[in-house]
Amino acid sequence: MAITLNINGRDYSIDADPQMPLLWAIREKAGLMGTKFGCGIAQCGACTVIVDGNAVRSCNTPVATAVGKSVRTIEGVSENNDHPVQVAWQDLTVPQCGYCQSGQIMSAVALLERTPEPSDNEIDKAMAGNICRCGTYPRIRAAIHKAAEMSKT
Amino acid sequence: MTAYHRPTDLDAALRLLADTGATVAAGCTDLFPATDRRALPGPVLDITAIPALRGIVATPEGLRLGATTTWTDVIRADLPPAFDMLKEAAREVGSVQIQTAGTLAGNLCNASPAADGVPCLLALDAGVELASTTGTRRLPLSAFLTGPRQTARRPDELLAAIHIPAAATAGRSRFLKLGARKYLVISIAMVAARIATDAGRVTQAAIAVGACSATARRLPDLERALTGAPATALAAHVTEDRIAPALSPIDDIRADAAYRTHAAAELVRRALTDLSPQEAAA
């Protein structure tokens, strides 16, 4: 079935089953490989993208439900990797293996858009749905505070 | 490819449901993990494109919560303090990404004994509106949930809305959940409590416990003991014999039955302490 998806401000015409998980439409149909397949059962958060301003797990979102909405992936966070979250991530060398990090960054971006200066508790709550097997959580929290600080000036 | 229907009006959805017996999909947060395939087993009826099914509106009889209202919608809605427990539960459903997608009706129709929303909706005296091509009917939530993963919904019926009567929107409320860790956890026990007072006396006590019986249960003995009592030191009314008869906890990997009963009593005590007036003033 022909579907038009708006990803990072650009329209993609793709052929996909309407019930195909958005994750596969993004990766295999639109060819954007930054969004990762982690567990496939909505447990880990590696596949997190932002749909109409809210973080969702693309592995359990039927692509049909994203039609007519604005989908943002890691590729659309900034033009030159200079979004405050990306800069803070680089400054504090947040990733270790890196696999979960595009999902982590999308959850952090969604959080800061609604809550520009989150407390530790708000960060923990918002980021709980993104698992990191390397245990980079303390650096993630620090980087979100740093990104919030940078965004103020 | 299996059929995937995504109608934009309720009548079309009800006709499709009657004709195809499709699996109803909303947030898909339970449906996708429940299949081992890369696609949903079809046919599927996706009800999230029907505007009339989403949102919270006041009605002459109280409040109507549309079926596809998400947990994030609940968290962001302007609701009276009687709904604080539902908002607290909404923040405990999975993670933020799950709260964005997961719906109230999905939580009810999936009918997990550990569904976070159910104790709160029971303590709000919720009723469900079931729609089909042959008309609509209403059931109290307690009658809709018939067992673990079992409901009174016929295959041709759609849970269209949840109704909260105006009388149950009074008072203050609290939701507490015990799990093995803080986040992303299936409950060992959870409690929703709503207390309304007038002139220093309790006028309404609505207390429900989840994950300690086949379906979440209200605690009628405790509610009777509280009603009419002075609105102070509410937790002093909590005894195991006012709680245990309403529950039938199981032993499973998360906890054994005796621990669940003990935990439920302690959670009720804590919720009522939080709702006692001296706490509010503190």
Side-chain angles (χ1 to χ4, degrees):
Chain A
M1 183 176 141
I3 285 175
T4 301
L5 266 189
N6 186 285
I7 308 174
N8 303 327
R10 182 184 146 192
D11 280 341
Y12 289 81
S13 297
I14 62 170
D15 178 47
D17 279 3
Q19 57 168 308
M20 170 184 271
L22 178 60
L23 170 66
W24 301 114
I26 290 170
R27 284 183 61 86
E28 296 184 353
K29 302 291 181 177
L32 298 168
M33 297 299 191
T35 305
K36 301 302 180 192
F37 170 76
C39 66
I41 53 168
Q43 296 288 309
C44 80
C47 66
T48 300
V49 299
I50 299 177
V51 177
D52 278 356
N54 293 308
V56 300
R57 284 174 170 154
S58 59
C59 78
N60 67 351
T61 303
V63 63
T65 66
V67 173
K69 296 181 179 170
S70 148
V71 178
R72 279 164 71 203
T73 68
I74 187 72
E75 290 88 348
V77 168
S78 67
E79 284 283 319
N80 305 303
N81 296 333
D82 57 358
H83 185 283
V85 169
Q86 291 171 306
V87 173
W89 242 247
Q90 291 165 49
D91 285 355
L92 299 181
T93 53
V94 171
Q96 186 168 315
C97 90
Y99 195 81
C100 69
Q101 296 292 334
S102 56
Q104 302 280 4
I105 288 171
M106 298 317 287
S107 281
V109 168
L111 166 66
L112 289 171
E113 284 174 0
R114 286 197 74 83
T115 313
E117 290 179 70
S119 63
D120 280 352
N121 192 38
E122 285 169 323
I123 292 173
D124 290 353
K125 200 128 217 172
M127 301 302 293
N130 291 78
I131 309 299
C132 172
R133 294 192 75 173
C134 304
T136 61
Y137 304 112
R139 296 207 292 268
I140 288 171
R141 192 202 264 174
I144 291 173
H145 282 306
K146 179 161 190 175
E149 194 62 35
M150 285 190 296
S151 301
K152 272 200 291 191
T153 53
Chain B
M1 161 177 167
T2 51
Y4 189 96
H5 306 286
R6 195 161 193 262
T8 53
D9 78 84
L10 183 58
D11 287 340
L14 297 177
R15 278 196 304 278
L16 277 163
L17 193 56
D19 294 344
T20 64
T23 301
V24 180
C28 292
T29 58
D30 286 310
L31 271 189
F32 269 118
T35 175
D36 54 6
R37 298 165 26 181
R38 249 170 80 149
L40 295 172
V44 174
L45 173 63
D46 176 344
I47 59 169
T48 59
I50 305 169
L53 290 183
R54 184 163 177 182
I56 301 173
V57 292
T59 64
E61 53 181 309
L63 279 180
R64 177 185 194 273
L65 316 177
T68 57
T69 302
T70 66
W71 297 108
T72 297
D73 291 341
V74 170
I75 292 166
R76 294 178 187 166
D78 183 18
L79 295 167
F83 288 81
D84 286 353
M85 58 185 166
L86 190 64
K87 290 181 177 236
E88 287 163 3
R91 293 190 185 94
E92 300 285 340
V93 176
S95 61
V96 166
Q97 300 101 314
I98 297 295
Q99 291 155 19
T100 303
T103 65
L104 291 175
N107 200 238
L108 300 186
C109 292
N110 198 49
S112 163
D116 291 307
V118 171
C120 307
L121 291 168
L122 285 175
L124 287 164
D125 292 334
V128 299
E129 175 187 326
L130 295 162
S132 72
T133 51
T134 57
T136 63
R137 61 175 177 139
R138 294 275 192 99
L139 282 179
L141 177 58
S142 54
F144 175 74
L145 299 167
T146 55
R149 309 270 169 197
Q150 289 164 354
T151 72
R153 184 180 76 86
R154 298 194 313 258
D156 68 325
E157 283 180 321
L158 199 64
L159 199 167
I162 299 152
H163 293 272
I164 310 296
T169 63
R172 295 161 58 229
S173 65
R174 190 88 170 90
F175 173 80
L176 292 173
K177 167 170 166 173
L178 175 70
R181 58 178 187 265
K182 192 168 178 189
Y183 297 113
L184 306 183
V185 66
I186 297 174
S187 302
I188 292 167
M190 56 188 158
V191 165
R194 182 175 60 84
I195 298 287
T197 59
D198 185 38
R201 296 267 163 188
V202 174
T203 52
Q204 282 187 60
I207 299 162
V209 173
C212 288
S213 38
T215 61
R217 287 270 191 276
R218 289 274 290 264
L219 301 177
D221 292 347
L222 179 60
E223 292 177 1
R224 265 193 297 277
L226 283 165
T227 306
T232 53
L234 297 172
H237 295 272
V238 179
T239 54
E240 274 199 21
D241 63 353
R242 283 175 176 155
I243 292 178
L247 306 178
S248 50
I250 58 166
D251 297 320
D252 70 6
I253 54 162
R254 286 184 281 277
D256 65 28
Y259 179 73
R260 281 200 153 93
T261 305
H262 179 76
E266 180 58 26
L267 290 178
V268 174
R269 254 181 229 113
R270 291 180 189 181
L272 291 176
T273 300
D274 289 349
L275 292 171
S276 295
Q278 70 273 29
E279 283 293 313

